[in-house]
Amino acid sequence: MKCAPMSKSFTLLTRRAVAVLVAMQFVAAVHAEPIEIASPGNVLKVTFELKDGTPTYSVTRKGVAVINSSKLGFKLKSGESLDGGFQVASSKTQKVDTTWTQPWGEQKDIRDHHNQLRVVLEGTGESSKRMAIVFRVFDDGVGFRYLIPKQGGTDSIEITDELTQFVFPEDHRCWWIPAFESNRYEYRYTDSPLSKTDKVHTPITFETKSGLYISLHEAALTDFSSMALKRTGGTTFEAELYPWSDGVKSRGSLPMKSPWRTIQINDSPGGLIENYLILNLNEPNKLGDVSWVKPGKYVGIWWEMHLGVSSWSSGAKHGATTKNTKRYIDFAAKNGFDGVLVEGWNVGWDGDWMHGEGNFSFTKPYPDYDLNALAAYAKEKGVHLVGHHETGCGIENYDRQLDDAFALCKKLGIRAVKSGYVGFGQGINRTDANGKQQKEWHHGQYMVRHYRRVVEASAKYDVMLIAHEPIKDTGIRRTYPNMMSREGANGQEYNAWGGDKSNLPDHTTILPFTRMLAGPMDFTPGIFDVLFEKEQPDNRVRTTITKQLALYVVLYSPLQMAADLPQNYEAKPEAFQFIKDVVTDWEFTKVLNGKIGDYITIARKDRNSDAWFIGSITDENSRTLEADLSFLDAGRKYVAEIYRDGEGADWDKNPYAIVIESKPVNSTTKLQLKLAPGGGTAIRLRPETK
Ligand code: NOJ
């Protein structure tokens, strides 16, 4: 009885306190004070501030500056620009802590734990402009995006410049590839101080003297122009959007959401890889039941074209013949591969196909390729053809055929398609409303929209996608889980072609810390005949064969290719066993060690069994790395099946020396991995069976 009034007044008090709090957090307040938001563990802090009406932000990690005061905003073609003259109309915070499950991936369950700040800005005085900026602050990174509501009596917008800056406090070391060049994302990485960059693609990765690792990129790019960065002096980068042919950078209808601008921040290079900020910033699965999406491995009529053994075009050397395809189907069935990729199967490869003329048919096979019979033969053998849609950047031609092309796939049981966009720089043909030909950039908004149409069209027919010469990955696989893998960097093919663009031994020790922070890569590992002396005596792969095995674990892709010719695998059945055993869908990913451009060791747990796999690779230097197996179940016995560089192995002089051995291990074991120059180690850890 006595307690009742007490508890009533307590309740009233609490209600009042909550009301005050709500007021602080959610009610409009015009102010120019900086607004701070910290990450859940108080590791990162973002400060938003209007400086003379211009929106700015800065980021600190444990009190140390990561991004100094940097401007935000846009210049518009018409109406009031969104670059200054603002006051804060309101601000609001929100805490989020949820865990979601990837239908497939490098990590099954992903925690989304962040604090959000949404700042609504309005023009001062007579101005009626409005814009909101949303920041999501995680312990290992920050994402922010712009929300632009309807305004100025119009519901469309044309952005002529994005003003987002990233001002670094120091001249950090960084790994980057150039933007606005002809060859898309296909360049060797440069390792330089940031003051030596000009226009660069993202992801770009920085190492600070105090031991922080920072990556700039974007998330959820589905209807905007791709963002490159340009250094505008000193240690400042500014967003540089790929323009349309008329100079507008990005256009659309209002209200508009920009993609997220992302800053991943970790205190180890491996931390960047175990960082799921970009996926967290994408929208959840839009496709519903995706049980038809199946990670796996494929072989294909592919490497033989790159070696010049056969051709995509018709004629005596045509690779995609019925007979040759049956050989690959038999090989796939015998060795447990799900897919057989066939390039050059369709009419359009004869003559110059690379310049957007659009001569490809995506439904008409060459006469020596019996598509229907092969699809049936594959089915009988328990494998699937993997389709190939090289567009040659004839975008309108492909768009016209999308529905028919994917309907045909569905009819024939083709569950995955590899697409291709060989085309250069600003060389994409677009017919404008007046019937005039315009030239668009490969990464501009025109192409971003096209790629999204393809993702949606393929999903409609239950087809998975692997895109070569893609729009860079920004995590949209979360929203469209049929978007499996992409190229988007120098892949294996550069080794067949030779010349000064072929990959050096350190290339694959850079990719996991740069390009692959964006998402999976179809690198196409697994070349056993690394010298291919018969086919291309002047070119070669600059690794040992053991490193080729380790790449299956190091370079994540849900669809992995065993890229070499069947006969080269048949010649080395013991080493081939690892490619047969390795899986492509993971429950956990752990980076055991790594140094950008030098070495990396990754352990991943199979999602469908208790086995773990380890891949460890080095650059041109030999080294011994330790793999601490404490991630294994305590008290459980495992067998480590180890594929390591043999005595005297060396990418240059002795790439084929390999030792395959088994040893008992458990969670207290620390394996010493001896890697040859340009070498690697691949391990399967399976629970011991009696
Ligand atoms: C370039 C792609 O990366 C490669 O995989 C493909 O074979 C050719 N284009 C032809 O489409």
Side-chain angles (χ1 to χ4, degrees):
M1 286 284 284
K2 261 191 178 167
C3 291
M6 279 261 310
S7 76
K8 193 174 170 190
S9 61
F10 176 74
T11 311
L12 278 175
L13 242 177
T14 318
R15 277 200 195 130
R16 219 165 283 140
V18 169
V20 171
L21 242 176
V22 167
M24 273 167 52
Q25 290 191 332
F26 300 111
V27 172
V30 176
H31 58 81
E33 298 299 307
I35 308 173
E36 290 183 349
I37 176 118
S39 65
N42 219 15
V43 180
L44 298 185
K45 196 173 76 189
V46 170
T47 305
F48 173 84
E49 190 176 358
L50 277 181
K51 292 195 171 161
D52 295 330
T54 299
T56 69
Y57 76 102
S58 58
V59 182
T60 59
R61 183 178 191 277
K62 298 185 178 169
V64 176
V66 176
I67 302 287
N68 285 346
S69 180
S70 300
K71 288 185 188 161
L72 297 162
F74 294 106
K75 286 213 180 298
L76 306 185
K77 188 166 172 188
S78 57
E80 292 188 79
S81 279
L82 303 170
D83 55 348
F86 281 117
Q87 61 188 3
V88 174
S90 67
S91 68
K92 174 172 160 182
T93 60
Q94 191 185 345
K95 291 178 189 298
V96 171
D97 189 1
T98 55
T99 296
W100 57 281
T101 301
Q102 297 205 79
W104 50 266
E106 68 280 55
Q107 177 80 17
K108 188 172 173 201
D109 296 319
I110 293 187
R111 186 175 180 193
D112 178 354
H113 192 195
H114 69 262
N115 291 337
Q116 175 172 298
L117 168 68
R118 181 189 172 116
V119 186
V120 178
L121 302 173
E122 63 187 10
T124 51
E126 297 299 290
S127 163
S128 62
K129 66 186 175 188
R130 283 180 87 81
M131 172 171 78
I133 305 168
V134 179
F135 295 90
R136 290 199 181 156
V137 190
F138 300 73
D139 282 340
D140 56 5
V142 176
F144 61 89
R145 80 172 350 163
Y146 301 91
L147 309 178
I148 308 175
K150 281 192 182 174
Q151 55 197 292
T154 166
D155 55 8
S156 66
I157 185 170
E158 291 189 313
I159 294 171
T160 50
D161 206 4
E162 177 172 337
L163 305 173
T164 308
Q165 287 183 326
F166 303 89
V167 178
F168 287 99
E170 282 175 63
D171 189 10
H172 304 315
R173 182 179 182 186
C174 60
W175 288 262
W176 55 277
I177 51 171
F180 295 97
E181 297 289 341
S182 137
N183 231 27
R184 307 163 302 264
Y185 300 104
E186 295 169 15
Y187 290 93
R188 287 178 181 168
Y189 276 81
T190 300
D191 166 2
S192 81
L194 78 81
S195 57
K196 294 279 182 285
T197 63
D198 179 16
K199 291 182 179 171
V200 297
H201 276 302
T202 68
I204 173 172
T205 302
F206 303 85
E207 179 185 69
T208 74
K209 289 200 185 71
S210 60
L212 282 187
Y213 296 85
I214 303 164
S215 171
L216 302 183
H217 191 45
E218 59 180 311
L221 171 65
T222 66
D223 189 5
F224 209 77
S225 167
S226 305
M227 179 185 74
L229 299 173
K230 83 167 175 257
R231 200 173 58 83
T232 52
T235 53
T236 298
F237 284 108
E238 193 173 301
E240 180 75 348
L241 302 178
Y242 273 84
W244 286 83
S245 44
D246 63 1
V248 168
K249 298 278 177 65
S250 208
R251 46 169 45 100
S253 51
L254 296 176
M256 169 188 269
K257 282 182 191 167
S258 76
W260 295 90
R261 291 10 192 148
T262 61
I263 311 168
Q264 288 163 273
I265 308 163
N266 288 86
D267 57 9
S268 70
L272 285 177
I273 296 170
E274 293 176 28
N275 181 322
Y276 300 105
L277 174 109
I278 288 177
L279 283 172
N280 274 329
L281 292 172
N282 273 272
E283 306 292 325
N285 174 6
K286 264 192 182 172
L287 301 182
D289 175 12
V290 285
S291 50
W292 49 272
V293 173
K294 296 202 190 304
K297 288 175 287 191
Y298 67 102
V299 295
I301 303 182
W302 177 75
W303 189 238
E304 55 177 75
M305 279 92 145
H306 290 274
L307 291 180
V309 173
S310 66
S311 66
W312 286 275
S313 53
S314 62
K317 274 178 82 178
H318 190 211
T321 62
T322 303
K323 185 166 169 230
N324 199 22
T325 308
K326 279 194 171 165
R327 180 169 76 97
Y328 276 83
I329 291 173
D330 291 343
F331 178 77
K334 183 167 165 218
N335 294 292
F337 290 89
D338 313 304
V340 177
L341 167 71
V342 186
E343 296 202 0
W345 66 276
N346 56 326
V347 169
W349 290 93
D350 301 311
D352 178 9
W353 54 267
M354 291 197 193
H355 294 95
E357 300 310 330
N359 294 327
F360 285 109
S361 164
F362 300 100
T363 49
K364 194 166 176 224
Y366 275 123
D368 55 350
Y369 184 76
D370 190 341
L371 175 61
N372 291 328
L374 285 165
Y377 185 71
K379 189 170 177 206
E380 189 188 309
K381 295 272 175 169
V383 301
H384 301 86
L385 293 176
V386 173
H388 185 234
H389 294 172
E390 171 59 64
T391 64
C393 279
I395 301 306
E396 291 166 355
N397 175 52
Y398 189 34
D399 269 335
R400 276 193 297 272
Q401 299 183 56
L402 278 182
D403 229 46
D404 291 346
F406 287 112
L408 178 68
C409 293
K410 174 118 182 167
K411 186 175 132 214
L412 296 177
I414 296 175
R415 302 191 307 188
V417 163
K418 169 178 167 180
S419 59
Y421 291 85
V422 176
F424 301 93
Q426 195 178 4
I428 312 284
N429 293 326
R430 175 179 68 87
T431 313
D432 70 15
N434 303 318
K436 259 187 81 187
Q437 283 281 297
Q438 302 294 346
K439 292 283 182 193
E440 303 297 344
W441 276 99
H442 202 285
H443 309 310
Q445 189 177 13
Y446 174 66
M447 288 297 278
V448 171
R449 287 177 173 173
H450 165 77
Y451 282 84
R452 195 187 59 178
R453 279 198 296 279
V454 178
V455 175
E456 287 172 346
S458 54
K460 195 167 134 198
Y461 293 100
D462 297 354
V463 175
M464 300 178 275
L465 270 185
I466 307 169
H468 277 228
E469 302 83 35
I471 290 293
K472 65 182 163 184
D473 200 343
T474 57
I476 67 161
R477 64 186 155 127
R478 178 173 179 193
T479 314
Y480 302 98
N482 67 320
M483 184 62 248
M484 307 300 280
S485 198
R486 307 174 194 229
E487 189 188 38
N490 269 22
Q492 185 82 271
E493 61 200 23
Y494 276 86
N495 299 323
W497 305 341
D500 61 5
K501 287 197 83 251
S502 68
N503 299 321
L504 300 175
D506 67 354
H507 183 61
T508 46
T509 65
I510 300 173
L511 287 178
F513 302 106
T514 50
R515 151 69 184 84
M516 299 194 69
L517 300 180
M521 177 173 178
D522 189 43
F523 180 84
T524 64
I527 300 303
F528 275 11
D529 181 17
V530 293
L531 297 178
F532 36 82
E533 281 163 310
K534 259 198 340 234
E535 298 88 357
Q536 295 286 340
D538 296 335
N539 307 337
R540 60 160 303 175
V541 176
R542 293 184 176 98
T543 69
T544 65
I545 60 164
T546 330
K547 184 168 174 178
Q548 289 293 316
L549 296 181
L551 293 179
Y552 283 91
V553 186
V554 171
L555 303 179
Y556 169 62
S557 180
L559 293 173
Q560 283 281 26
M561 185 175 201
D564 210 342
L565 311 178
Q567 56 270 35
N568 293 333
Y569 291 130
E570 277 156 356
K572 292 187 171 61
E574 295 86 5
F576 186 42
Q577 189 59 44
F578 183 81
I579 301 181
K580 291 184 357 182
D581 289 340
V582 74
V583 302
T584 64
D585 194 16
W586 307 103
E587 185 170 0
F588 303 116
T589 283
K590 290 183 187 301
V591 182
L592 304 187
N593 52 53
K595 196 161 184 300
I596 307 175
D598 290 352
Y599 61 86
I600 179 166
T601 307
I602 298 191
R604 303 190 199 262
K605 179 177 173 295
D606 179 8
R607 197 187 263 223
N608 301 305
S609 81
D610 289 338
W612 284 78
F613 290 80
I614 294 178
S616 183
I617 58 170
T618 179
D619 60 1
E620 66 283 4
N621 298 306
S622 66
R623 61 184 91 237
T624 301
L625 299 173
E626 185 173 278
D628 179 340
L629 305 189
S630 55
F631 53 80
L632 294 176
D633 291 348
R636 194 164 186 186
K637 292 179 177 172
Y638 292 80
V639 175
E641 297 167 358
I642 303 172
Y643 300 71
R644 63 175 172 84
D645 293 317
E647 204 50 46
D650 181 322
W651 73 268
D652 187 18
K653 298 186 184 66
N654 185 9
Y656 298 117
I658 179 170
V659 171
I660 303 170
E661 61 193 5
S662 289
K663 52 168 82 157
V665 294
N666 59 41
S667 63
T668 65
T669 308
K670 292 181 171 44
L671 287 174
Q672 302 302 309
L673 313 178
K674 225 177 135 220
L675 312 180
T681 298
I683 304 174
R684 174 162 85 136
L685 297 159
R686 57 170 173 82
E688 189 186 85
T689 44
K690 296 243 161 61

